[in-house]
């Protein structure tokens, strides 16, 4: 009876942490750019089941998507030529919570040891990375196939206070024209002149949240890990495939393509260590070929990995690997998404790069 009573009480406490959220709508351009995590429906032919159904994965809020991007692209416009699917190796090191806690606590200590940078509202966060997406290509004839991109460079500038236009420059992708307004003008109100460097303008982010944050929003997050995790569960309720998977993916998006105050980054790592089902891996490889240790969560036959330098515990990148047979995305070991963070910083203008 005591065990049953304790279980009921724990369920009640968990339920209290997951009230329904009111998630703001994201601007149209952010949805287009975060193609991977939006997974638009294609009904002409059978296809692999979408892994993530909302976020802008690679825009950090935006690119944000929940983790690595699995893109759905139409054959008449989008991804480049498909590449052979890469294979991954990496046996579980230890699925005990203590192993995960050790890795993530080391990462948290590294994060909080960094000096806090004064960031003003008019500045921009900058993240440079390598990314690769897997997706489904559908032709007009109703034929679909899984495609695998090769890693390519991506640079992202986001307004620290959300009031300025950001910029995305990604190799192999041309700027996306704005949708016509009233059948006439294709411009967006206040949009700057087209860029000469191939970059896409990103609309100001006036309604930031966990799925689309600004630096100022991140700076206001709680730094107590338990409080922060409650917030993540609360604001992502009903999204993703399970609450735990969505919490893991949401935190991963914030780690991959955002710049946050050191105390907040440390709290994100320690919050993730409290998510049930997270395991540790002895070896994983990011999109640039760097090896490291990883923490991971398996769901839907795919393992999402956060990769850390084996010595310094700096965050290197993220990877998604098929682990079950019969998966529509490929055989076990197929890498369906990967990234590698190459640089971060704060700059004074969109398009400006940090000084080395």
């Amino acid at each position: 009876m005591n065990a049953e009573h304790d279980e009921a009480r724990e369920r009640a406490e968990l339920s209290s942490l997951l009230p329904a959220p009111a998630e703001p709508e994201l601007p149209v351009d952010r949805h287009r750019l975060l193609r991977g995590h939006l997974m638009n429906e294609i009904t002409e032919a059978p296809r692999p089941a979408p892994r993530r159904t909302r976020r802008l994965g690679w825009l950090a809020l935006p690119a944000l998507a929940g983790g690595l991007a699995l893109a759905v692209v139409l054959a008449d416009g989008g991804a480049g030529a498909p590449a052979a699917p890469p294979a991954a190796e990496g046996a579980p090191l230890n699925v005990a919570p203590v192993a995960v806690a050790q890795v993530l606590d080391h990462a948290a200590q590294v994060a909080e040891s960094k000096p806090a940078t004064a960031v003003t509202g008019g500045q921009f966060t900058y993240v440079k990375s390598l990314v690769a997406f897997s997706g489904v290509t559908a032709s007009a004839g109703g034929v679909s196939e899984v495609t695998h991109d090769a890693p390519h460079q991506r640079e992202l500038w986001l307004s620290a206070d959300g009031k300025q236009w950001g910029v995305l420059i990604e190799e192999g992708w041309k700027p996306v024209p704005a949708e016509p307004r009233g059948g006439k003008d294709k411009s967006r109100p206040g949009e700057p002149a087209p860029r000469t460097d191939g970059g896409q303008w990103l609309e100001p982010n006036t309604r930031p949240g966990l799925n689309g944050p600004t630096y100022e929003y991140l700076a206001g997050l709680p730094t107590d890990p338990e409080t922060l995790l409650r917030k993540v569960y609360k604001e992502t309720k009903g999204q993703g495939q399970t609450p735990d998977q969505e919490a893991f993916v949401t935190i991963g998006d914030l780690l991959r393509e955002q710049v946050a105050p050191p105390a907040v980054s440390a709290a994100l790592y320690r919050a993730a260590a409290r998510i049930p089902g997270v395991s540790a891996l002895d070896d994983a490889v990011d999109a640039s070929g760097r090896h490291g240790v990883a923490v991971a969560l398996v769901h839907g036959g795919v393992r999402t990995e956060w990769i850390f330098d084996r010595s310094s515990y700096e965050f290197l990148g993220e990877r998604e690997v098929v682990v079950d047979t019969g998966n529509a995305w490929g055989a076990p070991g197929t890498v369906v998404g990967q990234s590698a963070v190459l640089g971060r910083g704060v700059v004074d203008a969109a398009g400006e790069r940090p000084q080395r």
Side-chain angles (χ1 to χ4, degrees):
M1 290 297 292
N2 288 338
E4 293 179 357
H5 176 74
D6 290 343
E7 181 178 358
R9 179 173 54 78
E10 291 174 357
R11 288 180 177 176
E13 290 177 352
L14 178 60
S15 298
S16 68
L17 301 180
L18 305 173
E23 184 177 7
E25 274 188 34
L26 294 170
V28 174
D29 65 333
R30 296 189 183 279
H31 282 286
R32 284 203 306 266
L33 294 172
L34 303 172
R35 56 192 177 279
H37 300 275
L38 298 177
M39 300 304 301
N40 297 324
E41 288 294 322
I42 295 179
T43 58
E44 294 84 356
R47 68 195 185 286
R51 297 246 335 117
R52 298 203 172 107
T53 55
R54 78 155 164 58
R55 235 183 342 276
L56 317 179
W58 292 112
L59 245 197
L61 101 111
L64 319 179
L68 300 184
L70 300 178
V72 172
V73 247
L74 299 180
D76 60 352
E89 296 180 357
L93 169 67
N94 189 339
V95 296
V98 64
V100 172
Q102 288 174 347
V103 171
L104 291 175
D105 187 62
H106 282 312
Q109 291 180 45
V110 170
E112 65 190 356
S113 69
K114 298 181 182 299
T117 302
V119 180
T120 64
Q123 292 183 301
F124 293 79
T125 60
Y126 168 81
V127 178
K128 179 180 180 180
S129 57
L130 289 178
V131 300
F133 309 93
S134 293
V136 177
T137 300
S139 67
V143 178
S144 63
E145 64 176 343
V146 177
T147 60
H148 303 274
D149 282 356
H152 55 277
Q153 185 172 294
R154 173 183 170 96
E155 294 178 283
L156 176 69
W157 290 263
L158 293 177
S159 172
D161 61 8
K163 297 179 181 179
Q164 315 298 319
W165 287 75
V167 172
L168 172 67
I169 299 177
E170 186 167 347
E171 289 181 345
W173 296 89
K174 296 180 180 179
V176 179
E179 297 295 331
R181 293 181 180 274
K184 299 179 182 179
D185 187 9
K186 289 189 175 183
S187 66
R188 292 172 289 181
E191 181 175 4
R195 300 185 61 85
T196 59
D197 57 6
Q200 304 180 54
W201 288 110
L202 307 179
E203 289 186 14
N205 181 9
T206 58
R207 302 176 66 186
L210 282 177
N211 290 340
T214 61
Y215 180 89
E216 287 190 355
Y217 176 87
L218 293 173
L221 289 177
T223 55
D224 174 73
E226 291 187 6
T227 303
L228 179 57
L229 188 58
R230 290 190 187 100
K231 181 178 180 65
V232 172
Y233 275 112
K234 174 181 177 180
E235 296 195 11
T236 61
K237 182 180 180 182
Q239 301 173 15
Q241 300 173 19
T242 69
D244 295 332
Q245 180 254 4
E246 187 64 13
F248 189 79
V249 161
T250 296
I251 294 176
D253 286 344
L254 299 178
L255 296 173
R256 181 183 62 254
E257 207 166 36
Q258 291 287 354
V259 175
V264 173
S265 295
L268 287 168
Y269 288 123
R270 292 185 172 120
R274 291 164 165 78
I275 298 175
V278 179
S279 61
L281 302 175
D282 65 349
D283 185 58
V285 187
D286 72 7
S288 70
R290 297 175 298 193
H291 286 254
V293 296
V295 296
L297 185 66
V298 176
H299 194 87
V302 175
R303 184 176 67 216
T304 300
E305 305 167 353
W306 302 347
I307 306 167
F308 300 89
D309 183 272
R310 195 178 303 277
S311 299
S312 69
Y313 288 92
E314 289 279 359
F315 180 83
L316 298 180
E318 193 176 3
R319 185 174 69 167
E320 288 189 340
V321 183
V322 175
V323 294
D324 288 349
T325 58
N327 192 300
W329 289 106
T334 300
V335 177
V336 295
Q338 55 183 322
S339 72
V341 177
L342 304 181
R344 301 181 197 259
V346 176
V347 295
D348 293 330
E352 178 181 305
R353 294 172 176 85
Q355 296 181 352
R356 295 183 178 179

